[in-house]
């Protein structure tokens, strides 16, 4: 029988977890509770003696100074609660704490637990207050757990006490060994093909199903298939492999589609492939132009992009999204997002050591008070869950989170965007081999390391290629395990340096099917024995083993003469490693189960023969009402209101919960300045502690401009990213970019009648991206697209605004030249670089008036580039005391942030600002023209600064002051803003301080 | 080689500050500063004996899944060195017995109290008497703090130091001790560092005291002063550019954390390997 050990704090010890839970019940759910006590519950699925149980409790589970245990007895006393809610995982959900507890039990009592006997954890919340059962249920489902992955027991005090607490419950997966391989007859009519795809969550189109139908027909007629024992029908394993390989997620079909684009004047143009034309095309053009200065080493072909850092090291960077899983379970989705993207640079080339994380989130307003459509979660819950998932994933992996942002728009209610990025560093050569290259060779063994395989994330690749709907599979929700992954990466870095493998890649979307399938392209085939794969539990069918997206796994190609050393190292370092087959040159993706062939697919068909999509795009320029409101009379109030806008307000509370300093490399932290509240524009780290060379990391994101023109959304995102990097001392000539597109479905269908417009938006965004990156010489080295960010249930459809996150990574020769955005000294002069134009379209300011407008900021690439180069030179010469980028809500908020970060006042004369067609103070303050900065310069250096900036547009507009006030003189010469620093700080810090 | 100062930083199972911690000993002048995976110690490939200073670095041992460092404390108590019958704990206790130095930082501090290396009142190593638990705020936080260093504490690591400023990066940093234990710790001056305000006066006010630690305790040592641990990260402030306001000027080239490691190296040189 199973036993329960409950662990709780001693009565006089403060329960921080309980207090926090009570606070969130009151604040987020508006349910009045007076207190919550939290107990940890360990259910041990083994028949142990009382002595053994108390040995486990005392040594492993209880901190004797502050905690007590109840062994098979409830700790809860009748007078301390009104409702008890217990939340535990459903069978098969990753239980990291349970795994750790089981390891501990096995150390105390070696061999006492048999392989199937596990420890399961849950939390018991003892809630005090005048609540009824429906309140308790709302607390349980609305805050404490998620029914997709968790199970709840909700008892009132009387029932709880009468039953003497909660009985042990073992969420064991009780499947039995399942070798079922079913065959699917594809010699059927078209509507039947469509049904097979839909019911199997295959996300294959009719054209694709027909291509597969034709393939299996030809195969069945050929000699090979018979020899393998397979018949004329396709196996479920084969069909699943094809569906995964051809999924939008893996194949980027929309980006590779043949597109006919029609502009607003009816002119048409044919685009062979957006990816080749604009993304790869940009990089090719830029690399050619850079010639000997080209720093790209590996672009678009590996898990992440690789550039040269210096003579000894290369840098690696990848950004991914994990939107759909985060919509269903924010914590697990985001945690899996960050530990998942970690494996991309880790599995790039021969493998890199991970040196930074970035995270950018797009959410709806956490204070959202409207009705939440079915299956969606409240934005506050999404916000907190995602934040915590990335916190646990990043912090526990020991990778500093150095850069990020949060963007708010209520359309992200339909799907939050969760961008996670990771950078790595690797020696230029490893055992004499260039580190950015790798090849799985014929005869190399297929080895899987790390976690085991369960039903986790099955159909993740195809699921994320669809909108969120009623039947979205719960198995797409996973919980990452950063410690299992850290153990594995610790071990694999040793293996890398000893030259124990020839190739490595991660298991992400599509699992083994994808990782082995991709690696097998090097050698020209593979044979994989699925029955050897280690499983978390029985009951997985062969195709499920192959497709499972269970986390924390890498696949390697290990030469036969190194396998013993590899396996020995893994065993010593407590990492599970299994040989699953070998790489061949048969031209076949050959999969066996217990010796019997279950898939035998032509590699060329699998990887090259998916029929290209043909799509139509039609651009119609949207016209929004122009703003015609009168200039506000009270600009103090306007400025305070802008500072409190969610897109402008301080993100300090989130940033502080991420370790941004681990590894000791931080140079420019995400929070800078006197009080540690200044939001830096970009990060600088020093990845090699005894070198002065630094890495700059920044990004740009501005989905709000998509309502006007995605061309400018993309152009501004690139410009913002470059501008941010330049603002901290980065060099525009040594920046590499990553494009991450998140779109709403751009394929016209019954569900998406405006697909042609959304596709036109995609085309235009690609053009914007191409034009600005090529002009600035910022090559794209990696990227990703997520094309189905829609929600549709019943009549409700929510599509996100088309969004590009443009991330940059570059180099700063000397970290001592880096600069921060905080005003440094009273008396320093304030400059605004770049002209301020009537470019309020899509701005925060118009949004605050409920308007969009039309005059979107237009990136002036030539003048901006000249300005960036001049500013870089000024920073390198030590002439700028502070530099801050102007973006959301323009000069007004940037100047305030500069002052706040330095805990100093600032005086600005709007009349001195260089302006074009702007004649209102509010527009001057809040226009979002691209390419601008606020720079403070100490008076002694003003001459040199102005000399170096000569030939660019800039003006001296004010000064930094000792008295802590924000003072702005308007165009008429009178003071239009005069606010105490304390008041602006309060307005800016408060909104997201929870 | 006989005269070289040898430091070992243990890695594995979720430790994640090993690189900068080992680097700190190098920078402080240790001739040898090795990062050794715990599995190599358990396998008997590497012996703690061969080193003078043991660093238990920051991180999330076993994810802090059962409470900070708790599962690792259990491992130290129950895992045996292959082929010897000796527990990991016995190796560490032998190291203490030999008069050598141990520094615990953050997760290393949590581990040291949970295996009873600190405060080890009366010299009883191996029995837990204090603990470190959840911050009062209920959240992990990364922020810089000021530390007042107790002048009368015997810690070798903080000799000659009056105050420090370091980053804290933890969710479980609140020092808790039963009243009698706390009085004994105070009476024996085993508190090394206290969270302090801008005047370096110990404080209980958040966020200057980031976690609500009793008596503002940020670090303690044993009675010999050879074992010491801090929640804040000295290896996080080895040079100027790590300081959060270095771009404002007036920050010296050498970070305050380096002094802590230099003190350890100097002690070894003068006491354990017979001078220079």
């Amino acid at each position: 029988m199973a036993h329960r050990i409950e662990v709780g704090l001693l009565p006089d010890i403060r329960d921080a977890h309980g207090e926090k839970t009570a606070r969130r019940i009151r604040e987020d759910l508006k349910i009045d509770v007076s207190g919550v006590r939290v107990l940890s519950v360990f259910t041990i699925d083994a028949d142990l003696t009382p002595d053994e149980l108390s040995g486990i409790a005392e040594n492993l589970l209880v901190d004797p100074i502050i905690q007590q245990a109840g062994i098979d007895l409830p700790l809860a006393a009748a007078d301390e609660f009104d409702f008890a809610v217990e939340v535990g995982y459903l069978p098969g959900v990753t239980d990291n704490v349970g795994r750790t507890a089981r390891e501990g039990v096995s150390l105390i009592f070696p061999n006492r637990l048999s392989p199937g006997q596990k420890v399961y954890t849950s939390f018991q919340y003892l809630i005090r207050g005048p609540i009824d059962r429906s309140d308790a249920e709302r607390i349980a489902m609305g805050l404490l757990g998620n029914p997709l992955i968790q199970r709840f027991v909700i008892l009132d005090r009387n029932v709880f006490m009468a039953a003497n607490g909660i009985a042990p419950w073992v969420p064991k997966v009780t499947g039995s060994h399942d070798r079922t391989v079913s065959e699917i007859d594809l010699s059927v009519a078209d509507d039947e093909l469509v049904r097979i795809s839909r019911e199997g969550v295959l996300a294959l189109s009719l054209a694709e199903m027909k291509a597969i139908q034709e393939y299996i027909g030809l195969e069945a007629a050929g000699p090979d298939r018979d020899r393998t024992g397979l018949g004329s029908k396709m196996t479920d394993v084969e069909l699943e492999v094809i569906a995964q390989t051809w999924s939008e997620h893996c194949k980027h079909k929309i980006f590779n589609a043949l597109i006919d684009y029609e502009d607003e004047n009816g002119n048409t143009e044919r685009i062979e492939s957006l990816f080749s034309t604009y993304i790869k095309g940009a990089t090719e053009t830029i690399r050619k132009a850079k010639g000997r200065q080209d720093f790209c080493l590996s672009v678009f072909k590996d898990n992440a992009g690789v550039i040269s850092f210096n003579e000894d090291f290369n840098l690696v960077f990848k950004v991914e999204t994990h939107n759909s899983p985060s919509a269903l379970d924010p914590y697990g989705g985001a945690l899996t997002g960050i530990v998942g993207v970690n494996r991309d640079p880790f599995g790039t080339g021969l493998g890199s050591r991970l040196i930074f994380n970035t995270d950018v989130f797009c959410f709806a307003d956490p204070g959202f008070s409207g009705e939440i459509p079915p299956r969606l979660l409240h934005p506050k819950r999404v916000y907190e869950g995602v934040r915590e998932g990335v916190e646990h994933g990043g912090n526990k992996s020991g990778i500093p989170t150095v850069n990020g942002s949060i963007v708010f728009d209520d359309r992200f209610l339909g799907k939050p965007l969760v961008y996670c990025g990771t950078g790595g560093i690797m020696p230029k050569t490893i055992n004499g081999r260039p580190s950015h290259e790798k090849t799985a060779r014929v005869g190399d063994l297929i080895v899987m390391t790390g976690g085991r395989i369960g039903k986790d994330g099955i159909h993740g690749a195809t699921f994320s290629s669809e909108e969120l709907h009623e039947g979205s599979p719960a198995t797409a929700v996973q919980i990452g395990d950063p410690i299992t992954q850290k153990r594995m990466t610790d071990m694999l870095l040793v293996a890398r340096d000893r030259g124990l493998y020839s190739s490595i890649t991660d298991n992400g979307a599509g699992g083994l099917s994808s990782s082995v399938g991709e690696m097998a392209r090097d050698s020209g085939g593979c044979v994989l024995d699925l029955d050897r794969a280690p499983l978390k539990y029985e009951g997985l069918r062969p195709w499920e083993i192959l497709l499972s997206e269970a986390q924390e796994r890498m696949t390697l190609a290990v030469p036969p003469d190194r396998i013993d050393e590899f396996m020995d190292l893994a065993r010593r370092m407590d990492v599970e490693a299994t040989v699953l087959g070998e790489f061949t040159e048969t031209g076949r993706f050959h999969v066996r189960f217990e010796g019997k062939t279950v898939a035998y697919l032509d590699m060329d068909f699998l990887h090259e023969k998916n029929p290209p999509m043909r799509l139509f795009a039609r651009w119609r320029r949207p016209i929004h009402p122009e703003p015609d409101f009168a200039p506000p009379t009270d600009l103090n109030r306007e400025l305070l209101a802008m500072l409190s806008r969610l897109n402008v307000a301080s993100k300090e509370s989130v940033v502080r919960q991420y370790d941004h300093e681990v590894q000791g490399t931080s140079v420019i932290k995400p929070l800078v300045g006197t009080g540690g509240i200044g939001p830096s524009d970009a990060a600088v780290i020093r990845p090699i502690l005894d070198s002065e060379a630094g890495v700059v990391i920044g990004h740009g994101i501005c989905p709000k401009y998509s309502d006007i023109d995605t061309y400018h959304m993309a152009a501004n995102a690139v410009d913002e990213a470059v501008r941010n990097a330049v603002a901290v001392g980065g060099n525009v000539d040594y920046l590499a970019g990553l494009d991450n597109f998140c779109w709403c479905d751009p394929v016209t269908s019954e569900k998406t009648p405006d697909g042609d417009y959304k596709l036109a938006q995609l085309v235009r965004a690609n053009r914007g991206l191409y034009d600005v990156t090529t002009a600035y010489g910022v090559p794209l080295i990696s990227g990703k697209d997520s094309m189905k960010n829609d929600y549709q249930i019943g009549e409700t459809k929510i599509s996100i605004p088309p969004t590009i996150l443009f991330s940059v990574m570059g180099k700063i020769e000397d970290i001592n030249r880096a600069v921060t955005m905080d005003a440094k000294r009273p008396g320093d002069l304030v400059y605004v670089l770049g002209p301020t134009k009537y470019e309020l379209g899509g701005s925060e300011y118009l949004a605050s008036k409920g308007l969009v407008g039309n005059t979107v900021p237009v990136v002036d690439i030539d003048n901006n580039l000249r300005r960036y180069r001049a500013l870089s030179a000024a920073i390198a010469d030590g002439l700028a005391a502070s530099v801050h980028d102007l973006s959301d809500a323009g000069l007004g908020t940037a100047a305030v942030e500069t002052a706040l970060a330095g805990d100093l006042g600032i005086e600005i004369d709007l009349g001195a600002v260089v302006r074009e067609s702007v004649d209102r103070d509010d527009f001057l303050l809040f226009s979002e023209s691209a390419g601008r900065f606020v720079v403070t310069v100490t008076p002694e250096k003003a001459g040199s600064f102005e000399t170096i900036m000569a030939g660019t547009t800039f003006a001296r507009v004010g000064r930094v002051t000792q008295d802590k006030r924000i003072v702005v003189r308007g165009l008429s010469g009178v003071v239009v803003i005069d606010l105490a620093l304390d008041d602006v700080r309060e307005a800016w810090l408060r909104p997201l301080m929870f | 080689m006989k005269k070289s100062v040898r430091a070992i930083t243990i890695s594995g199972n979720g430790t994640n500050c090993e690189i900068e911690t080992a680097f700190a000993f190098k920078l402080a002048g240790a001739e040898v500063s090795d990062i050794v995976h715990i599995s190599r110690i358990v396998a008997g490939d590497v012996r703690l004996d061969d080193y003078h200073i043991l660093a238990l670095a920051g991180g999330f041992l076993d994810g802090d899944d059962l409470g900070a460092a708790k599962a690792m404390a259990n491992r130290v108590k129950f895992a045996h060195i292959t082929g010897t019958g000796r527990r990991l704990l016995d190796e560490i206790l032998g190291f203490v017995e030999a008069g050598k130095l141990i520094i615990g930082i953050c997760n290393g501090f949590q581990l040291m109290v949970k295996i009873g290396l600190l405060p080890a009142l009366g010299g009883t190593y191996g029995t837990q008497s204090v603990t470190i638990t959840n911050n009062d705020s209920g959240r992990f936080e990364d922020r810089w703090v000021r530390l007042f260093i107790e002048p009368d504490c015997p810690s070798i690591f903080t000799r000659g130091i009056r105050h420090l400023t370091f980053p804290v990066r933890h969710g479980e940093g609140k020092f808790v001790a039963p009243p009698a234990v706390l009085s004994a710790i105070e009476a024996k001056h085993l508190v090394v560092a206290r969270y302090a305000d801008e005047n370096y006066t110990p404080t209980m006010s958040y966020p200057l005291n980031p976690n609500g630690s009793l008596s503002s305790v940020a670090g303690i040592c044993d009675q010999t002063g050879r074992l010491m641990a801090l929640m804040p990260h000295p290896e996080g402030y080895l040079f100027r550019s790590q300081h959060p306001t270095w771009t404002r000027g007036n920050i010296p080239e050498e970070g305050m954390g380096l002094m802590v490691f230099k003190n350890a190296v100097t002690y070894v040189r003068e006491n354990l390997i017979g001078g220079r």
Side-chain angles (χ1 to χ4, degrees), chain A residues 3 5 47-58 71-72 109:
Chain A
H3 296 276
I5 302 180
D47 207 359
L48 301 174
T49 66
D51 279 357
E52 286 170 329
L53 289 167
S54 63
I56 290 165
E58 280 166 25
I71 298 175
D72 291 326
F109 302 112

Side-chain angles (χ1 to χ4, degrees), chain A residues 9 13-17 19-20 23 42 55 57-67 96-101 103-105 107-109 121 353 384 391 394-399 481 483 486-487 490-491 572-574 652-669 671-675 686 689-690 692 815-820 822-825 881 901-904 993-994, chain B residues 11-21 23-24 27 37-40 42-45 58-68 70-80 113-114 128-144 146 166-171 174 176-179 181 206 211-212 233 235-250 253:
Chain A
L9 291 169
I13 303 294
R14 183 167 176 182
D15 183 355
H17 186 179
E19 286 173 22
K20 187 176 176 178
R23 193 167 60 240
F42 299 85
E58 280 166 25
N59 286 295
L60 186 66
L61 304 179
V62 173
D63 183 332
I65 311 301
I66 52 171
Q67 289 173 329
N96 290 322
V97 179
R99 179 196 35 74
T100 300
E103 280 180 21
V105 171
L107 272 168
I108 304 173
F109 302 112
T121 61
R353 182 167 67 79
E384 283 288 45
E391 176 199 324
N395 293 358
K396 292 187 180 187
S397 302
I399 302 163
D481 177 358
I483 295 305
K486 177 103 175 91
R487 281 185 184 161
D490 283 352
M491 178 245 153
R572 283 165 173 265
M573 295 183 75
D574 213 5
E652 184 193 348
S653 70
V654 172
V655 176
R656 288 236 176 270
Q657 295 183 72
Y658 295 151
D659 188 334
H660 47 260
E661 301 185 78
V662 61
Q663 302 189 7
T665 53
S666 84
V667 174
I668 302 297
K669 303 182 202 298
L671 295 168
V672 296
T674 317
R686 169 201 228 177
L689 294 174
D690 52 8
E692 308 273 282
I815 53 157
N816 297 296
R817 290 295 170 203
V819 62
T820 51
D822 47 314
K824 300 297 188 298
R825 280 163 296 270
D903 198 27
L904 292 164
M993 195 53 83
F994 47 72
Chain B
S11 66
N13 293 323
T15 293
N16 60 34
C17 297
E18 66 269 22
I19 294 179
E20 60 269 38
T21 305
F23 183 77
L27 214 54
H37 194 272
I38 183 80
S39 65
R40 303 190 62 207
V42 174
D45 297 347
F60 282 84
L61 284 163
D62 302 279
D64 284 354
D65 284 341
L66 305 173
K70 182 72 181 166
M72 181 65 181
N74 186 66
R75 188 180 292 118
V76 168
K77 283 189 272 183
F78 290 96
H80 288 78
V113 304
K114 290 184 183 180
Q128 181 181 354
S129 62
V130 302
T131 199
I132 296 172
T133 185
N134 293 325
N135 296 353
D136 278 351
S137 65
R139 54 171 73 192
F140 176 101
E141 283 190 334
D142 178 337
R143 60 168 74 246
W144 281 59
R146 293 188 187 80
F166 289 150
V168 288
R169 312 192 303 250
H170 61 243
K174 180 181 178 175
V176 176
V181 177
Y206 173 85
N211 48 41
H233 289 266
E235 86 290 0
Y237 184 25
L238 300 175
F239 23 72
R240 190 174 77 111
S241 62
Q242 290 169 323
H243 192 279
T245 64
W246 72 271
T247 58
R248 301 183 70 77
N250 297 327
E253 193 53 46

Side-chain angles (χ1 to χ4, degrees), chain A residues 527-542:
Chain A
V527 55
L528 181 66
D529 288 305
L530 276 182
D531 50 301
R532 295 196 205 161
L535 304 182
K536 294 182 181 177
Y537 39 78
E538 293 296 335
L540 273 75
R541 294 170 58 183

